[in-house]
Amino acid sequence: MIVAQNLVRRYGSTIAVDDVSFGIAQGEVVGLLGHNGSGKTTIMKMLTGFLEPTAGQITLNGLDIGEQTRSAQACIGYLPENCPVWPDMHVADYLDYQACLHGLGPSERDRAVVRAIQRTGLKDRATQMIRTLSRGYRQRLGVAQAILHERQIVILDEPTNGLDPTQILEMRSLIKDLAKHSTILISTHILQEVQAVCERVLILRAGRLVLDSRIEDLGQNQRLLIVVGADGKSVLGGIPGVERITQRATNDALVHYVVDVSRDCASDIAQAIHSAGLKLHLLQPERQTLESVFAAANEPQPEPKS
């Protein structure tokens, strides 16, 4: 449904998106996760045809963004960051106008507007002027215009921005309902939102894609937490199965490591440290969560073992 290949976007000498590639299959709910400034919104704008990539290719539902932009955009429901709305229109009139822009006929528009209002909890605000809405209700209105024409692909940039806790729970429920019929890509910097509604996560750091994983697979990576009484990097680096060594901290003469391994080599590590005359204070598996993976993805790249 969504295929991005080697996307690059430059602003002068600044590289906002750097060689990013991914694919999203029909029916998937995928979270695009990263700190502010990591390139999430830039990617969203390129996927929806509002911003031209400096390099790379995008196809939506088999349609090429660039050569078939209008046809590709017709497959999308899109909530942009800080969704622009017309403040002097009423909520229902604005949605009716949006439905008209999306090409819905008169008989379809009424049904689409009513359904979008109901699904986003705007029933009590339907006749209200948009300029009188709170930020949270304006965000709901932005989501309503993104889903009223019920497209195969829904792209939401920070959909819970400005919502209170109750509204966030309602938005999660709506996204799960949309996922029954649509492919969904959600941009956010909030870990809980990805964990609550997504089945897969793409993590960006400084414009580069540093992780593409299913949520359920995050805990299956093999990593060990090791605390040694002195510098043991050279010892660890010589053990078969040790792929990468990251030094996390040094305190009270103890050195903390996170070690990526390709096999079960904990006993070999313990024996090697003992043979080197070093004291082993801790050796245990690291249970990875989305939080720990996100933190690791946004650390400086670890040095290879030596």
Side-chain angles (χ1 to χ4, degrees):
M1 292 291 284
I2 302 176
V3 178
Q5 297 178 307
N6 307 113
L7 289 185
V8 176
R9 177 65 195 190
R10 294 189 181 92
Y11 295 95
S13 60
T14 301
I15 302 177
V17 175
D18 188 3
D19 196 26
V20 170
S21 298
F22 58 85
I24 300 175
Q26 183 174 356
E28 278 195 294
V29 182
V30 177
L32 186 61
L33 183 62
H35 290 304
N36 291 330
S38 62
K40 303 187 304 297
T41 293
T42 300
I43 287 177
M44 291 285 198
K45 289 180 178 179
M46 289 192 289
L47 291 177
T48 52
F50 289 95
L51 187 64
E52 185 177 352
T54 304
Q57 185 178 21
I58 300 167
T59 57
L60 302 179
N61 213 13
L63 300 169
D64 182 82
I65 288 284
E67 295 183 1
Q68 300 164 293
T69 302
R70 291 300 178 117
S71 298
Q73 287 175 327
C75 301
I76 302 170
Y78 176 42
L79 170 69
E81 185 182 31
N82 300 319
C83 181
V85 291
W86 284 274
D88 292 323
M89 294 186 75
H90 294 89
V91 168
D93 290 340
Y94 169 76
L95 291 175
D96 182 73
Y97 177 59
Q98 288 293 322
C100 182
L101 292 178
H102 287 305
L104 300 183
S107 61
E108 299 175 282
R109 287 206 300 271
D110 288 345
R111 182 195 65 82
V113 169
V114 169
R115 180 164 168 76
I117 285 173
Q118 290 174 339
R119 297 175 84 184
T120 53
L122 286 168
K123 186 176 180 180
D124 294 337
R125 301 290 191 276
T127 58
Q128 196 167 322
M129 296 285 284
I130 293 173
R131 58 181 163 80
T132 66
L133 296 178
S134 67
R135 181 179 179 184
Y137 275 105
R138 288 193 184 203
Q139 191 72 356
R140 289 193 194 200
L141 181 59
V143 174
Q145 65 80 28
I147 68 172
L148 65 85
H149 52 318
E150 299 184 0
R151 288 304 186 246
Q152 297 166 297
I153 300 172
V154 178
I155 296 178
L156 305 174
D157 195 351
E158 303 283 0
T160 58
N161 187 24
L163 302 187
D164 63 37
T166 300
Q167 292 172 335
I168 288 173
L169 292 176
E170 292 171 351
M171 186 62 66
R172 290 177 182 175
S173 178
L174 172 60
I175 290 170
K176 290 176 181 178
D177 182 57
L178 291 172
K180 296 175 184 177
H181 308 287
S182 302
T183 299
I184 300 177
L185 178 61
I186 302 169
S187 165
T188 183
H189 61 277
I190 303 173
L191 297 173
Q192 293 88 341
E193 295 311 306
V194 172
Q195 212 148 19
V197 299
C198 298
E199 55 199 59
R200 182 169 150 225
V201 62
L202 308 172
I203 297 181
L204 292 171
R205 179 172 66 85
R208 296 188 66 87
L209 184 64
V210 294
L211 182 77
D212 179 350
S213 174
R214 293 185 63 82
I215 301 292
E216 63 187 18
D217 294 338
L218 291 176
Q220 298 180 8
N221 295 333
Q222 299 184 69
R223 304 183 88 185
L224 298 173
L225 299 177
I226 301 173
V227 179
V228 186
D231 185 359
K233 190 171 184 180
S234 61
V235 175
L236 294 171
I239 299 171
V242 172
E243 297 292 319
R244 190 166 58 179
I245 303 163
T246 306
Q247 184 173 324
R248 284 280 174 86
T250 301
N251 53 63
D252 298 327
L254 301 179
V255 186
H256 298 243
Y257 297 102
V258 177
V259 178
D260 294 272
V261 296
S262 60
R263 64 180 184 86
D264 184 3
C265 56
S267 60
D268 294 338
I269 289 173
Q271 184 175 353
I273 290 174
H274 177 73
S275 298
L278 303 177
K279 289 185 178 181
L280 179 61
H281 293 264
L282 177 71
L283 173 58
Q284 69 180 35
E286 181 188 50
R287 185 180 180 277
Q288 287 190 287
T289 63
L290 182 57
E291 286 83 357
S292 65
V293 170
F294 183 66
N298 283 281
E299 290 178 347
Q301 291 297 305
E303 299 176 5
K305 68 176 186 177
S306 58

